[in-house]
Amino acid sequence: MAFKCIIVDDEPPATRILENYIAKVNFLEKTGVFNDSLKALEFLNTQAVDVIFLDIQMPQLTGLQISRIISKDIKVIFTTAYPDFALEGFELNAVDYLLKPISFERFYQAVSKLNSESKTIVSSQNNTPDFLFIKTDGKNKFQKIFLNDILYVESLQNYVCIHTSKQQIITHSSLKNVIESLPDNDFIQIHKSHVISLKHIESTDNFSVFINGKELPIGATFKDAFFDKIEENKI
């Protein structure tokens, strides 16, 4: 699966270099190039994007400001000529911070981190589709979780927390990656930060879902799809 990515940079020479690099990497797919930060945000509101190559010094909104606005599921790789913002960039959980001029070697090193993150959750769907292996601390250390035990999954910036009735497991991944590993008949996203198990819903109203005594918000973007699913099982 290729990562859909966009470039947001107001310097044409820089965008041309990044476009050239992206074209060389088979697990990257360029879906847009923007020299205007506001147009980039408009695009992100309607299109699914996995990665954004983001310049920092731009008119209207800086790259740092954009990274605070966009979904936490979108991976950010900063591209800038200024090293001064590196610490703040990493505090925003950026995948990497590339200093211009960017060599292909350094670019490839950064994007390779995307592949390592996407492998943190390993589905067993080809064999027994009732459990997942979740990568935990330590090299090649995975924990088995049965799908029936999952109450809900919560996004924590570059991590997710999988809540079960017995424990909470935190792994370095995105909510999008988790969703792709879960059967959509049993799980549904109700908020930009929450995916829930339909089996474990105790009750719901127009604004919240209650699972195991926990109140979870229903986001406006996901409300219609969620209540369509509820309607299917209404008596």
Side-chain angles (χ1 to χ4, degrees):
M1 180 190 72
F3 294 96
K4 294 182 178 180
C5 52
I6 65 170
I7 301 167
V8 183
D9 196 316
D10 62 339
E11 299 177 358
T15 60
R16 285 195 293 269
I17 289 172
L18 289 173
E19 286 183 270
N20 180 43
Y21 288 173
I22 289 170
K24 294 180 179 180
V25 181
N26 60 9
F27 57 82
L28 296 179
E29 177 188 346
K30 184 197 71 180
T31 58
V33 179
F34 302 90
N35 58 17
D36 184 308
S37 56
L38 297 181
K39 289 182 179 178
L41 288 176
E42 289 176 7
F43 182 85
L44 292 171
N45 284 333
T46 59
Q47 303 295 322
V49 172
D50 301 307
V51 187
I52 176 171
F53 294 94
L54 186 56
D55 189 18
I56 288 183
Q57 294 284 50
M58 290 190 299
Q60 297 178 320
L61 289 172
T62 69
L64 295 173
Q65 290 172 321
I66 292 173
S67 69
R68 294 188 185 99
I69 295 171
I70 62 176
S71 167
K72 300 302 181 185
D73 289 337
I74 301 175
K75 303 298 183 185
V76 174
I77 297 177
F78 285 115
T79 59
T80 179
Y82 303 94
D84 312 38
F85 302 103
L87 178 59
E88 189 172 357
F90 283 115
E91 286 176 346
L92 291 169
N93 291 302
V95 173
D96 213 330
Y97 190 101
L98 301 179
L99 284 175
K100 300 173 182 178
I102 302 167
S103 68
F104 180 72
E105 180 183 4
R106 183 66 184 89
F107 173 86
Y108 194 83
Q109 182 185 22
V111 298
S112 293
K113 296 178 182 180
L114 300 169
N115 264 334
S116 64
E117 290 183 9
S118 70
K119 295 174 183 176
T120 57
I121 297 183
V122 180
S123 172
S124 62
Q125 291 182 359
N126 291 333
N127 300 309
T128 51
D130 59 342
F131 63 85
L132 299 172
F133 284 110
I134 309 298
K135 192 175 188 305
T136 56
D137 293 336
K139 185 177 181 181
N140 294 328
K141 184 177 179 182
F142 294 85
Q143 183 163 342
K144 183 179 180 181
I145 297 181
F146 286 95
L147 298 181
N148 281 338
D149 291 337
I150 298 176
L151 302 176
Y152 63 95
V153 184
E154 180 180 11
S155 174
L156 304 171
Q157 295 186 336
N158 284 349
Y159 293 82
V160 293
C161 181
I162 299 172
H163 296 259
T164 74
S165 55
K166 300 176 181 178
Q167 60 184 329
Q168 298 177 2
I169 300 170
I170 296 177
T171 186
H172 192 269
S173 185
S174 68
L175 196 63
K176 179 179 181 295
N177 188 34
V178 175
I179 292 170
E180 291 174 351
S181 301
L182 295 172
D184 55 15
N185 286 336
D186 299 324
F187 293 86
I188 189 168
Q189 187 169 7
I190 62 165
H191 186 271
K192 66 179 181 180
S193 300
H194 293 102
V195 171
I196 65 167
S197 167
L198 292 165
K199 295 178 181 179
H200 291 286
I201 294 175
E202 295 171 348
S203 63
T204 181
D205 57 30
N206 280 334
F207 307 101
S208 304
V209 172
F210 296 85
I211 295 179
N212 199 37
K214 176 74 173 180
E215 181 179 0
L216 303 173
I218 301 173
T221 304
F222 307 96
K223 191 171 186 177
D224 288 345
F226 171 68
F227 282 106
D228 285 346
K229 183 69 72 171
I230 295 297
E231 192 72 25
E232 292 175 10
N233 297 279
K234 189 179 73 174
I235 60 174

